[in-house]
Amino acid sequence: MKRIVLFAMTNIAVLALIGLISYVFGLDRWLAARHMNIAMLLVISAIFGFAGSFISLAISKWMAKMAYSIQVIEKPQTQDEEWLYRTVERLSRDAGISMPEIGYYESPEANAFATGPSRNSALVAVSTGLLQQMNHREVEAVLAHEVGHITNGDMVTMTLLQGVLNTFVGFFSRLIGMAIDNAMRRDNDRGGLGMGYMLGYFVSSIVLGLFAMVIQMAYSRQREFAADAMAAKLTDRESMIAALARLKSVMENGGVFDNSAPSMNTFKISHPESFMALFSSHPPLEKRIEALRKLKS
């Protein structure tokens, strides 16, 4: 979940900054004054949309390290660090990718995530809560799951999907903004874009952005199944099932975590069929376990 949140929030921030710069320096007004057509508007939206996504991808590792104060293991100092480092090294070698950076961060949540601009320039991070709550076999399966995300190129494909979604959100938001501005305009108003455009643009960006997020999260849920399958291949199916079952047990039996913890809410175990499940980046744990059991041995 954390890699998705980081990517989405960075992407939104970059898009907001691009939009603000565009408005302040009058790019939208300049285009409107030159009677830009639909094709031109779509091209501009695509430039802005993909720029936000690729900038987010490029700085994803840096953002993760800063946001979670991740301690990157360069030279293992303890037995636990040595085990983490060697396990990721072996998994990445078996998966046919370059060794990603490996680190940990202080958090009571049982969590791990992978991020980075490419298969050969990635970061795998685990929480101290995960290391405390799971045994080596289960942690290895979780690490294999994250290596699976890297091997499958999920961050890159998510970037491309986000770029397409950004393009259409920006395109239709600008059209809606212009329509509202035109409806609010008086006969004696001068040309150019007014406050009606800004109001319509930002409100429609938020509304359409929510619809785009539903699509993005649906894709993310499917990639979780693929990463689970990769983890089963790199380790074994029963280890990945055991890791998911351990997390499910912790949640249901009230261990050190509770259902209000951010990382737990993303799994939607309590209300797997609720409307908010549309905005979850992970499928319910029961469905992931069921999918693993159906894999051919």
Side-chain angles (χ1 to χ4, degrees), residues 152-188:
N152 294 336
D154 287 341
M155 284 302 292
V156 175
T157 52
M158 181 67 77
T159 298
L160 295 174
L161 174 62
Q162 188 66 63
V164 173
L165 293 173
N166 288 346
T167 296
F168 285 100
V169 168
F171 175 73
F172 287 109
S173 295
R174 285 179 170 83
L175 282 182
I176 292 170
M178 289 175 182
I180 292 176
D181 191 61
N182 186 62
M184 294 174 60
R185 191 176 300 280
R186 296 178 181 177
D187 292 338
N188 59 351

Side-chain angles (χ1 to χ4, degrees), residues 114-179:
T115 190
S118 72
R119 294 175 60 190
N120 296 317
S121 179
L123 165 73
V124 174
V126 297
S127 69
T128 53
L130 182 138
L131 297 174
Q132 293 163 3
Q133 290 293 307
M134 294 186 177
N135 59 38
H136 276 190
R137 176 195 178 202
E138 294 160 349
V139 173
E140 181 180 3
V142 172
L143 292 172
H145 173 93
E146 301 307 331
V147 169
H149 277 305
I150 299 170
T151 305
N152 294 336
D154 287 341
M155 284 302 292
V156 175
T157 52
M158 181 67 77
T159 298
L160 295 174
L161 174 62
Q162 188 66 63
V164 173
L165 293 173
N166 288 346
T167 296
F168 285 100
V169 168
F171 175 73
F172 287 109
S173 295
R174 285 179 170 83
L175 282 182
I176 292 170
M178 289 175 182

Side-chain angles (χ1 to χ4, degrees), residues 31-50:
L31 290 170
R34 282 154 180 78
H35 308 289
M36 60 178 173
N37 56 34
I38 295 298
M40 189 175 184
L41 180 62
L42 185 59
V43 169
I44 294 297
S45 299
I47 291 172
F48 286 178
F50 278 92

Side-chain angles (χ1 to χ4, degrees), residues 65-276:
K65 292 174 185 177
M66 294 293 292
Y68 297 104
S69 300
I70 294 172
Q71 301 293 316
V72 176
I73 302 172
E74 296 180 352
K75 293 183 179 180
Q77 301 296 318
T78 66
Q79 286 187 341
D80 288 339
E81 289 185 1
E82 180 73 22
W83 181 84
L84 266 178
Y85 188 91
R86 297 305 173 195
T87 300
V88 174
E89 183 180 47
R90 174 172 50 79
L91 290 171
S92 57
R93 182 176 61 249
D94 292 345
I97 62 173
S98 297
M99 169 73 174
E101 293 184 77
I102 174 69
Y104 60 90
Y105 61 97
E106 295 290 335
S107 173
E109 302 171 1
N111 216 332
F113 65 93
T115 190
S118 72
R119 294 175 60 190
N120 296 317
S121 179
L123 165 73
V124 174
V126 297
S127 69
T128 53
L130 182 138
L131 297 174
Q132 293 163 3
Q133 290 293 307
M134 294 186 177
N135 59 38
H136 276 190
R137 176 195 178 202
E138 294 160 349
V139 173
E140 181 180 3
V142 172
L143 292 172
H145 173 93
E146 301 307 331
V147 169
H149 277 305
I150 299 170
T151 305
N152 294 336
D154 287 341
M155 284 302 292
V156 175
T157 52
M158 181 67 77
T159 298
L160 295 174
L161 174 62
Q162 188 66 63
V164 173
L165 293 173
N166 288 346
T167 296
F168 285 100
V169 168
F171 175 73
F172 287 109
S173 295
R174 285 179 170 83
L175 282 182
I176 292 170
M178 289 175 182
I180 292 176
D181 191 61
N182 186 62
M184 294 174 60
R185 191 176 300 280
R186 296 178 181 177
D187 292 338
N188 59 351
D189 282 348
R190 295 182 177 180
L193 299 175
M195 288 304 298
Y197 171 78
M198 288 303 298
L199 177 64
Y201 174 75
F202 281 112
V203 171
S204 56
S205 290
I206 293 172
V207 174
L208 293 175
L210 289 175
F211 284 106
M213 185 178 293
V214 170
I215 297 173
Q216 182 182 2
M217 292 301 102
Y219 176 79
S220 176
R221 290 193 295 273
Q222 291 305 309
R223 300 318 300 160
E224 289 303 314
F225 289 118
D228 285 345
M230 177 62 74
K233 180 179 180 181
L234 291 173
T235 55
D236 63 86
R237 177 175 57 182
E238 295 307 316
S239 292
M240 190 65 227
I241 290 175
L244 295 175
R246 175 63 65 93
L247 178 57
K248 186 173 183 291
S249 176
V250 167
M251 294 173 62
E252 291 178 344
N253 297 324
V256 297
F257 309 108
D258 59 49
N259 287 337
S260 65
S263 65
M264 299 305 169
N265 282 335
T266 66
F267 293 109
K268 305 298 177 190
I269 298 303
S270 300
H271 306 285
E273 303 302 330
S274 70
F275 170 76
M276 290 308 296

